Structures are given as structure tokens and as C-alpha cells.
Amino acid sequence: MAVWQYQLNIIPKSAIIEKYGEIPNELFIDEKGWKDYWDNVKFDNGFPDPEFEDARTIKWWKNKALNIQEIANQIDKLVKRGDWSNDKDFIGWKGDSEKEEDNDCHIAFNEKTLVISEFQFRTDLRNLEKARKFMEGMLKICAENDLLVMNTDGLLYEPEMEIIFEDIKKSNAVKFLTNPVKFIEEIAEDEDNRLRIEPKKQNIWNKIKSIFN
């Protein structure tokens, strides 16, 4: 994902209510679980399913029907299909980055059952006029099909532009676009802190293990 893109995952509202009995403000994302997964995963035969449950691994679409072709036709009006989108179980869209419309979207699904495994879109925030047009179009599709959107931190929202705009203002994409130097410096500082802390954690863990060995 480009640093100027703002990502939202799409989830059926009814699936959220069935699991929680209500619509929570935030869904749990197991950041540690994902770090361990990517550090240790072996790609011998595609991407194996993680062995933990969080908002990204739950099969929200398992019992939910959506007319994929109809939705795809609507998205075609907002952004062009990617040249690489030829799979029978995947439809992808990709805008023109050089024209500051690096908007993209994809729907992954089971070819036989048509059950969706992932539906998400990313908005290029470099050109606000183009960003708003794409975002409003995608949110309209979500609203018409009783779908919610979730940001990368697990925060869950109704597909309303005013609500999403408030979240966009706090996003890394906006932080980068408004002050790229400060944004990069903060990332560098976080990485320096991580490199200093990790050896300390390892030393403590080694001491604990030595007590029981």
C-alpha cells in the first residue's frame, strides 16, 4: 500500500451483529499474532490460514450473499480494472498513480461458491477532488448493500462520508501528505526504539529461561 493511500475493508453489517449482538466501535486485530505469522510462515502452497482469530481472519462473508458481478459493474464506473485481474476468483481495480488517482479495490472469492474472502478498497488522498469522488462512490455501494467499513486499526464505521473524513484526518496518509519530513522522522525514531528494546527483551527472556533450566 502506498503511503498516500487510505485503506478500508468491507464487512457485512449482519455478520457483525450475529457475532457480537451489536455493532462495536472497534474490532480486535492481533498485531503480535500477525507479526509471528509473517516471521514464520512458509509459502510452500499459497498462503496458509493463520491459527488465531481476529478481525482479519474471521470469515465474515461465509454465509452472506452478494451479487459480485453487479457490484463489480458499479465499481467499474469508479476505477478501471487492473490488467492483471484475470483470475476466476479475483477481481481487481487500479487507478493511475501518475495522475494522482492511485485508487484501487479488489474482491477475492471462491470460484464455485462465490463466497467472498476479502473485499477492500484504498483511496489516493493526494488529489482531494478525485479522492472524494472515488470514496463517495464506494461508500454508496456499501450503504446500498448494508455493509460496514473497517480501517487498518480495526475501527468500525458506517459508510458515511462525514464519519470517514474524521478518520482520514488522523490517518498516516494525511500525516505524510501534510508533513512528510516529520512523518519519516517519526518512523525512523520508532524503528530506532524498536532496535534498542528488542535486545533488552531477549536478554530478560534468556535470564528467565536460565532460572528454570
Side-chain angles (χ1 to χ4, degrees), residues 15-190:
I16 298 290
I17 295 175
E18 286 174 10
K19 184 169 182 62
Y20 299 106
E22 61 180 0
I23 299 177
N25 294 325
E26 183 176 1
L27 301 181
F28 172 67
I29 294 180
D30 190 344
E31 299 293 355
K32 182 181 183 304
W34 280 109
K35 182 180 184 305
D36 293 341
Y37 174 82
W38 291 116
D39 286 346
N40 299 288
V41 67
K42 296 180 180 179
F43 305 104
D44 297 330
N45 186 24
F47 288 84
D49 289 335
E51 296 180 354
F52 57 87
E53 180 182 280
D54 74 348
R56 295 174 184 165
T57 64
I58 294 173
K59 301 185 185 303
W60 298 110
W61 294 91
K62 185 177 181 181
N63 299 311
K64 306 300 174 185
L66 189 69
N67 190 321
I68 296 174
Q69 191 54 57
E70 182 179 312
I71 295 297
N73 291 338
Q74 294 180 48
I75 298 174
D76 284 339
K77 299 175 182 178
L78 303 173
V79 60
K80 67 178 182 179
R81 300 235 183 156
D83 297 334
W84 34 261
S85 182
N86 297 316
D87 296 336
K88 295 181 179 180
D89 59 357
F90 183 92
I91 305 176
W93 294 261
K94 183 68 173 177
D96 190 338
S97 179
E98 293 184 1
K99 294 182 180 179
E100 294 188 338
E101 50 186 17
D102 190 13
N103 304 307
D104 63 50
C105 177
H106 74 255
I107 306 176
F109 54 94
N110 183 291
E111 178 186 354
K112 296 180 179 179
T113 65
L114 298 182
V115 173
I116 294 173
S117 56
E118 187 174 62
F119 187 3
Q120 71 170 44
F121 66 97
R122 300 183 294 193
T123 305
D124 184 346
L125 299 180
R126 289 176 296 173
N127 184 304
L128 293 181
E129 182 178 348
K130 294 178 180 180
R132 175 175 284 276
K133 181 178 179 180
F134 175 72
M135 176 73 73
E136 287 181 340
M138 289 302 303
L139 294 180
K140 181 180 179 182
I141 291 173
C142 291
E144 291 176 345
N145 291 277
D146 210 21
L147 308 173
L148 300 176
V149 291
M150 179 187 74
N151 73 5
T152 54
D153 294 322
L155 295 175
L156 197 62
Y157 298 112
E158 292 283 351
E160 299 175 11
M161 194 64 201
E162 293 76 12
I163 296 174
I164 301 304
F165 182 70
E166 291 302 314
D167 190 59
I168 288 176
K169 289 193 294 186
K170 297 177 287 186
S171 69
N172 283 336
V174 167
K175 290 178 183 178
F176 170 77
L177 292 172
T178 54
N179 195 333
V181 174
K182 181 179 179 181
F183 179 78
I184 293 173
E185 288 176 345
E186 288 178 351
I187 291 179
E189 183 178 352
D190 289 342

